[in-house]
Amino acid sequence: GVPGTSFTRWAGLLAEEAVSPGLVAAELDWWQRSLAAGGEARLAVGRGSGTRRATLTVELPADLTEAALTTLPAAFNCGADAVLLTALTSAAVRHRGSGTGLLVHIEGHGRETLSVPVDVSRTVGWFTTQYPVLLDAGSDRREGGGTAVDALKAVKEQLRSVPNGGIGWGLLRHLNPDTSPVLAELPVPDVRFNYLGRFTAEDAAGGELLDAAPDAVPLGHAVEIDAYAKESADGLRLEATFSYAEGVLAEVEVRELARLWREGIAVLARETAEGGPVGATPSDFPLVGLSMDQLAMLEGDLADIGDPATEAEGGR
């Protein structure tokens, strides 16, 4: 197998990868096209800037935690991050009062594959990636448009379309002198989201090490959300800290945003429970290349085959 890759070697490979013609050809146009329309999808459009941190922490009850981390990901064949980000997009749209999308910075684990063989599974170092994604929940449900289930399917597909876990963004934006100024012209998210996974009481002091004093780290966004699942005596609970820039957003606004996020998860859980099977999405069949509409038609045909009334009618 591939020998372990040191952090120094990894850093050198990133610099080489950033200027490789293959990466530029594969990703530069994708990032430009996917982010170009993100200016109006920011959370606090026209609100100015601020860096002084204030925080608001919310904890979901057991039923919503179970839905967000287990039931919904299993039903939609997606990660918990897709569920949480769908609810966040819905909350941001309702808070903003316009549009259907949210431009958001997403943090990832950073241990992605490169064009050369590497093994960083045992490498000690900080590998976090941060990359922007324009998430669009689709039809405006405030005017009777699509459902929360439709929104989750759309967000799931948008997240899966990001090339190679988003690592290419940082390489092209910060390490390639030719592509950096091009990408610097694109809209910049004012929301950051990070789902950190599950913690036991012993892990990172039960999550307490994630808390920051108001002046510990200057904010780079209007809102930064760090969510994680915490094991406790009462079972698993999803906790999210909303760090926000005072002067850009008021506490009452952030509290409302958090309430709408929680409500978004609840609506997803309710629609899924009441609506039966939710169906697959195109990325579940990467070798076929079906569109969402084609997949829906195929599922409809399969449902008809299994319907006794349809079979009887066809046999006349």
Side-chain angles (χ1 to χ4, degrees), residues 49 77 80 89 101 104-105 109 148 156 171 175 217 229 240 243 249 254:
S49 61
N77 188 31
T89 301
V104 56
H105 267 141
H109 58 73
K156 167 189 168 182
L171 301 183
L175 295 179
V217 181
S243 300
L249 293 171
V254 179

Side-chain angles (χ1 to χ4, degrees), residues 27-167:
E27 295 195 16
L28 179 60
D29 182 62
W30 187 92
W31 289 109
Q32 288 180 283
R33 284 186 290 104
S34 64
L35 300 174
E40 295 304 311
R42 289 160 54 93
L43 175 70
V45 177
R47 289 291 195 96
S49 61
T51 59
R52 180 168 173 79
R53 177 189 300 265
T55 61
L56 172 69
T57 299
V58 296
E59 182 178 280
L60 298 190
D63 59 338
L64 288 188
T65 296
E66 175 74 12
L69 302 184
T70 304
T71 309
L72 290 169
F76 287 88
N77 188 31
C78 66
D81 58 336
V83 176
L84 302 178
L85 282 164
T86 300
L88 179 61
T89 301
S90 172
V93 167
R94 294 176 64 185
H95 169 84
R96 195 175 58 228
S98 63
T100 59
L102 175 66
L103 183 64
V104 56
H105 267 141
I106 298 176
E107 286 198 10
H109 58 73
R111 297 173 189 259
E112 309 294 349
T113 58
L114 301 179
S115 60
V116 296
V118 295
D119 179 9
V120 292
S121 60
R122 294 166 295 168
T123 306
V124 177
W126 195 259
F127 284 82
T128 299
T129 54
Q130 180 173 279
Y131 54 95
V133 179
L134 177 56
L135 298 177
D136 195 320
S139 302
D140 193 338
R141 295 199 300 281
R142 293 168 302 166
E143 300 179 0
T147 65
V149 164
D150 294 331
L152 178 48
K153 287 183 176 182
V155 168
K156 167 189 168 182
E157 291 298 289
Q158 292 155 19
L159 290 173
R160 287 191 177 179
S161 72
V162 176
N164 198 25
I167 193 172

